[in-house]
């Protein structure tokens, strides 16, 4: 494992961090964590040198923090930098800060959080931070020894990002960034802006919710023609570790193979280590992906559960996969849409399995999406393609 500067904190973070939003789950219950498997996997990653663990209140509907608390027993807590977040949608008054933090410390079975973040700040959540004087609460908690470093994770636009960065002397920021997302949310400009203020830069969604691990055929061809052979995931990760500003890249690794491969990638990484030819290959990959990603869903699940039973991220993933594959692959992917429920009598009590046609346009999901996707509108398009057989190109113009 390679270790990198974590802003100006003095801590050296593993280049690869473990995101605990996509832990192994029980079969047929995609949000219910398989506790035994998850504990084993978390400890396996730590034994491989990962020392940065990221979780949050809502991950796995609260289960992630609880399981992480179990996993960090037996001496593992002392080996890691533990990160969790204040979930802004649930905060109503200033005192909520203490009650959430105390509950999180209890669930995580620890006396302190290494880095505590305001979760998924947008303009309106940042207004809430200011109105409720929550930064004062952060500082108070730091003085009390309950947290070590203060930061925020972010999902809005560059001007908002700069406004937040300039507001306080933050230690850490966590942004969505990958070679497809250099121009949205914080953007490359924001990343460099925060790094220039000595903030530790933590990257989430390095694979754009797994989409960069699943390349369209043009991208596969580009990678095969490169003299340097890498997997699709390795190309995406090396792009990030090449940047001197990046401290940690968080990956939600759900099995041993992913951990092994990503640890190997981290071991082979280096600042400014990619050649001009390799960077050109990545430019070509961006072009190929741009032609194929129709809906920028990262499968974060924040929009779930849908009252009508629509599995929103699954519908979007099937559409994106359909758009990026040809021939028999496309036919196969389209079949997975047919396996979803197309009327309420077929909905599964345990697993949300509705297809796009079940959306009743209640619009409840729209404000929850950090990617700003107009979910009901995109679901209508998904059903036009996958339910009614219209051509992707005629619907997603
Ligand atoms: S708008 Fe559609 S997808 Fe969104 S919550 Fe309502 S029914 Fe579900
Ligand atoms: S639609 Fe938005 S909120 Fe829902 S999973 Fe995709 S990115 Fe996340």
């Amino acid at each position: 494992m390679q270790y990198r500067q974590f802003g100006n904190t003095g801590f050296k973070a593993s280049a690869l961090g473990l995101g605990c939003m996509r832990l192994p789950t029980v079969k047929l219950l995609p949000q219910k964590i398989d506790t035994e498997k998850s504990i084993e996997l978390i400890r396996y990653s730590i034994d491989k040198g990962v020392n940065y663990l990221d979780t949050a209140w809502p991950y796995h509907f609260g289960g992630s923090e609880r399981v992480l608390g179990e996993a960090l027993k037996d001496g593992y807590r002392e080996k890691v930098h533990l990160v969790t977040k204040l979930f802004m949608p649930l905060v109503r008054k200033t005192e909520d800060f203490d009650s959430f933090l105390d509950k999180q410390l209890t669930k995580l079975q620890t006396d302190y959080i290494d880095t505590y973040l305001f979760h998924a700040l947008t303009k309106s959540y940042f207004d809430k931070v200011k109105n409720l004087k929550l930064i004062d609460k952060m500082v108070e908690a730091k003085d009390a020894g309950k947290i070590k470093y203060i930061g925020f994770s972010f999902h809005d636009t560059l001007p908002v990002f700069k406004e937040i960065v300039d507001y306080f002397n933050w230690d850490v920021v966590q942004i969505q960034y990958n070679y497809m997302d250099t121009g949205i949310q914080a953007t490359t400009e924001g990343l460099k802006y925060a790094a220039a203020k000595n903030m530790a830069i933590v990257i989430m969604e390095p694979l754009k919710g797994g989409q960069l691990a699943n390349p369209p055929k043009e991208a596969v061809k580009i990678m095969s023609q490169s003299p340097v052979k890498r997997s699709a995931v390795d190309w995406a990760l090396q792009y990030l570790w090449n940047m001197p500003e990046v401290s940690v890249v968080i990956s939600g690794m759900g099995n041993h193979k992913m951990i092994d491969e990503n640890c190997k990638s981290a071991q082979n990484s280096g600042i400014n280590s990619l050649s001009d030819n390799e960077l050109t290959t990545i430019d070509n990959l961006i072009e190929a992906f741009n032609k194929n990603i129709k809906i920028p869903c990262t499968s974060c699940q924040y929009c779930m559960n849908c009252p009508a039973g629509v599995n929103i991220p699954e519908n979007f993933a099937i559409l994106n996969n359909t758009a990026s594959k040809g021939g028999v692959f496309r036919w196969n992917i389209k079949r997975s849409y047919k396996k979803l429920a197309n009327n309420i009598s077929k909905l599964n009590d345990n697993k949300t399995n509705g297809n796009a046609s079940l959306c009743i346009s209640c619009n409840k999901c729209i404000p929850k999406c950090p990617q700003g996707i107009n979910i009901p509108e995109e679901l209508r398009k998904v059903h036009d393609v996958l339910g009614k057989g219209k051509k992707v190109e005629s619907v997603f113009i």
Side-chain angles (χ1 to χ4, degrees), residues 180-203:
M180 291 299 298
D181 288 343
T182 56
I184 64 165
Q185 301 207 10
T187 75
T188 306
E189 185 181 333
L191 179 153
K192 289 180 186 288
Y193 188 78
K197 295 190 176 236
N198 292 320
M199 293 170 72
I201 309 291
V202 179
I203 304 296

Side-chain angles (χ1 to χ4, degrees), residues 21-22 176 205 211 295-304 311-314 316-317 365-375:
M21 187 165 90
R22 297 180 175 114
Q176 173 175 329
E205 301 291 5
Q211 293 179 62
I295 306 169
C297 171
T298 60
S299 296
C300 68
Q301 308 263 344
Y302 290 172
C303 54
M304 299 286 276
N311 188 325
I312 299 166
E314 190 159 341
F316 289 164
C365 53
I366 295 178
K368 296 182 189 164
C369 178
Q371 307 305 322
I373 299 171
N374 186 327
I375 294 172

Side-chain angles (χ1 to χ4, degrees), residues 199-218:
M199 293 170 72
I201 309 291
V202 179
I203 304 296
M204 59 181 159
E205 301 291 5
L207 304 177
K208 203 170 170 59
Q211 293 179 62
L212 304 189
N214 188 19
K217 54 185 185 306
E218 295 97 315

Side-chain angles (χ1 to χ4, degrees), residues 347-370:
L347 283 175
N348 186 321
D349 285 345
N350 297 322
K351 181 183 184 298
T352 308
N353 66 330
N355 81 13
S357 71
L358 299 187
C359 172
I360 51 169
S361 298
C362 70
N363 293 348
K364 283 188 181 148
C365 53
I366 295 178
K368 296 182 189 164
C369 178

Side-chain angles (χ1 to χ4, degrees), residues 29 81 294 336 343 368:
L29 296 173
H81 186 102
K294 303 300 176 193
S336 50
N343 75 52
K368 296 182 189 164

Side-chain angles (χ1 to χ4, degrees), residues 284-300:
N284 295 335
L285 288 175
I286 293 169
E287 215 173 292
F289 270 103
N290 261 332
K291 282 192 212 147
N292 288 286
I293 293 179
K294 303 300 176 193
I295 306 169
C297 171
T298 60
S299 296
C300 68

